[in-house]
Amino acid sequence: MTRFGLISTLLLAPMAALAQPAPPPGTATWFGLHYIDTSTEGAINGVRADETARIAMVEDFIAEDLTGRGFALTPPPAEAVAGILNPVRSNGADTRIARGMGSDYAIAGEVQKVSNLIQSVNLTLRDAETGETVRAGSVEIRGNTDDAFRRGYSYLLRNVIFREERKE
C-alpha cells in the first residue's frame, strides 16, 4: 500500500464508522469512567476531592443520557472488575464480563487530565458478543469544571456515539 493509500485509509476509516446507523438501544454493562492523571499537579498533590466528585457526576450524566436513549444499564460485579485497571483497555475483559451478564454492549470511558486546563474525555461502546467496537470517540475539553465535563460528554454522545448518517 502506498503512503497516500495508508494515510487515506486512516483518515477515512472513522468517517465510514460514523456513516453507519447509530447503535440500537439494548442492555449494557456500564463500567463507568477510568480517570488518568498525567499532569504534574496530580503527581505532586495527589487525588483531588473535586475531581473525584466530578467523575461521579459525569458518570451519572452519561448514564442518564444512555437510559434516556433506551439503554438498560447494569454495573458489572465488583469481583469481576477487581483485577482490571482500565476497562477501556482491558484486552476484551469488558466484553467478556458483559457477555457473561447477558448484555448486548459493554460501555466504558476514560478521562485523561493533561493539565488543569486540558482534559481528554472518551467513550467506547462495544458489542458484547463479538468484542467489536461499535462506536468510540474522544473530545478535548478546556477547563476542569462540572460544566466543561458535561458539555464535552454531551457533545461526544450527540455528535459521535449516536450520530446518524446525515441525509442530504
Side-chain angles (χ1 to χ4, degrees):
M1 178 178 283
T2 67
R3 185 179 304 188
F4 176 74
L6 177 62
I7 291 170
S8 296
T9 301
L10 291 174
L11 292 175
L12 295 176
M15 292 172 59
L18 289 177
Q20 298 173 3
T27 57
T29 301
W30 168 229
F31 289 87
L33 301 175
H34 178 71
Y35 184 71
I36 305 165
D37 188 346
T38 57
S39 72
T40 54
E41 178 188 352
I44 294 168
N45 299 324
V47 177
R48 287 178 32 186
D50 65 323
E51 290 174 340
T52 301
R54 189 164 297 116
I55 295 300
M57 176 276 305
V58 81
E59 283 178 331
D60 291 344
F61 175 82
I62 294 165
E64 287 174 23
D65 184 278
L66 292 168
T67 302
R69 293 176 190 275
F71 286 80
L73 304 179
T74 305
E79 65 276 1
V81 295
I84 299 173
L85 177 62
N86 180 352
V88 173
R89 303 183 195 292
S90 64
N91 200 26
D94 60 334
T95 55
R96 286 190 296 277
I97 292 167
R99 184 172 46 253
M101 293 177 62
S103 295
D104 299 319
Y105 302 103
I107 304 175
E110 292 175 314
V111 172
Q112 180 183 5
K113 178 181 178 179
V114 178
S115 70
N116 207 43
L117 182 61
I118 302 169
Q119 319 281 329
S120 177
V121 299
N122 73 53
L123 196 64
T124 303
L125 190 145
R126 296 193 224 291
D127 183 293
E129 186 63 34
T130 66
E132 296 294 318
T133 299
V134 177
R135 288 281 174 95
S138 181
V139 174
E140 303 296 317
I141 60 173
R142 293 185 61 88
N144 193 358
T145 65
D146 292 357
D147 192 44
F149 273 69
R150 273 193 299 271
R151 280 194 323 262
Y153 272 107
S154 177
Y155 178 88
L156 190 56
L157 287 159
R158 278 187 336 249
N159 295 302
V160 178
I161 304 298
F162 294 104
R163 178 181 174 181
E164 292 284 346
E165 182 177 359
R166 297 195 181 182
K167 308 229 183 331
E168 301 291 327

